[in-house]
């Protein structure tokens, strides 16, 4: 995947800033809601350290309030984050060959981190990829802490902050398009999601991911030049 020299040598601060702008407010919303549901501040922060699963953490709040079993929560988390298996497989050769650094990078591979890592050149040092992954989680944990502290002290409206995630994905998708080696991912993803909406709006994302996986198995597109 070809990158311009300026993009290839961007410092960590520039690479992680878009993620920070999304993760801090989104983590704050999670921390706020988690504490408002009756949990202590330390548990909100701990969940973002050891679970770090974004949407699954949001899903966990009403399930805990409703008294769902830990097994049910674990199963729901597995289903929601199953797509991360495919993320990891595509980057295993670029991760450190062994050790705690490799294990952590597998653990910390969120949607946003994966999007940023795949725009980096193939010869990017594993240490830089590790630091980028750790910084991205740091923003989520920091946001969780801020939201939990505020949630424990006051009643504030978080209305509108849910749109931050859509904005973050729009920025990351733009970066992916700018540094694409093939136009096929977009050409397949858009029709796949449209078809998934027709089949089932409730399960549209899962169905679309499945259709894209099938397309990746049967379609071998030729790469196009990067503008």
């Amino acid at each position: 995947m070809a990158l311009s020299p300026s993009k290839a040598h961007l410092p960590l601060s520039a690479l992680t800033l878009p993620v920070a702008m999304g993760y801090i407010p989104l983590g704050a919303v999670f921390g706020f809601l988690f504490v408002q549901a009756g949990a202590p501040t330390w548990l909100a922060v701990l969940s973002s350290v050891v679970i770090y699963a974004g949407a699954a953490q949001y899903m966990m709040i009403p399930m805990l309030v409703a008294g769902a079993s830990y097994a049910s929560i674990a199963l729901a988390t597995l289903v929601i984050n199953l797509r991360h298996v495919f993320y990891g497989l595509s980057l295993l050769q670029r991760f450190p060959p062994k050790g705690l650094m490799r294990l952590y990078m597998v653990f910390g591979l969120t949607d946003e981190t994966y999007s940023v890592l795949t725009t980096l050149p193939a010869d990017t040092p594993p240490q830089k990829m590790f630091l980028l992954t750790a910084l991205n989680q740091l923003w989520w944990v920091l946001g969780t802490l801020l939201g939990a502290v505020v949630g424990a002290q006051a009643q504030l409206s978080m209305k509108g902050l849910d749109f931050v995630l859509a904005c973050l994905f729009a920025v990351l998708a733009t970066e992916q398009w700018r540094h694409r080696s093939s136009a096929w991912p977009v050409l397949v993803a858009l029709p796949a999601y449209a078809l998934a909406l027709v089949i089932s709006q409730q399960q549209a994302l899962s169905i679309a991911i499945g259709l894209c996986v099938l397309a990746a198995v049967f379609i071998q597109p030729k790469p196009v030049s990067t503008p």
Side-chain angles (χ1 to χ4, degrees):
M1 184 177 297
L3 293 176
S4 63
S6 59
K7 177 68 178 181
H9 299 290
L10 281 177
L12 281 173
S13 57
L15 293 170
T16 193
L17 182 60
V19 178
M21 295 178 66
Y23 270 15
I24 291 177
L26 285 171
V29 174
F30 165 72
F32 180 88
L33 294 176
F34 196 76
V35 170
Q36 288 289 302
T41 298
W42 68 266
L43 188 57
V45 176
L46 181 64
S47 69
S48 288
V49 172
V50 302
I51 300 176
Y52 187 40
Q57 287 180 248
Y58 277 95
M59 171 273 302
M60 178 178 65
I61 297 173
M63 293 188 72
L64 287 173
V65 172
S69 66
Y70 293 139
S72 299
I73 296 175
L75 178 60
T77 301
L78 174 63
V79 172
I80 291 175
N81 291 286
L82 189 60
R83 65 191 185 279
H84 291 190
V85 173
F86 301 101
Y87 294 170
L89 290 175
S90 68
L91 285 175
L92 280 180
Q93 298 302 318
R94 299 182 60 185
F95 284 175
K98 59 182 178 179
L100 294 178
M101 188 181 295
R102 179 185 178 88
L103 293 176
Y104 173 75
M105 291 183 68
V106 172
F107 162 77
L109 197 58
T110 61
D111 298 330
E112 295 76 15
T113 298
Y114 176 81
S115 181
V116 175
L117 291 178
T118 53
T119 64
L120 298 177
D123 60 350
T124 301
Q127 292 80 4
K128 184 174 183 178
M129 298 173 66
F130 168 80
L131 289 175
L132 179 61
T133 303
L135 278 173
N136 287 349
Q137 183 178 10
L138 175 63
W139 305 135
W140 182 262
V141 174
L142 176 61
T144 299
L145 175 61
L146 294 175
V149 170
V150 172
Q153 302 296 327
Q155 297 285 339
L156 296 177
S157 174
M158 293 294 188
K159 185 178 180 180
L161 284 180
D162 52 349
F163 192 67
V164 171
L165 185 59
C167 295
L168 174 59
F169 273 115
V171 171
L172 296 175
T174 300
E175 286 299 304
Q176 287 285 321
W177 176 256
R178 287 177 57 198
H179 304 293
R180 71 193 186 280
S181 59
S182 171
W184 272 101
V186 173
L187 297 178
V188 170
L190 292 179
Y193 191 71
L195 179 59
L197 284 175
V198 174
I199 297 173
S200 172
Q201 293 187 6
Q202 296 295 327
Q203 304 296 329
L205 181 59
S206 299
I207 295 173
I209 292 174
L211 292 174
C212 289
V213 170
L214 288 176
V217 171
F218 293 107
I219 298 176
Q220 299 294 329
K222 294 181 180 180
V224 297
S225 58
T226 304

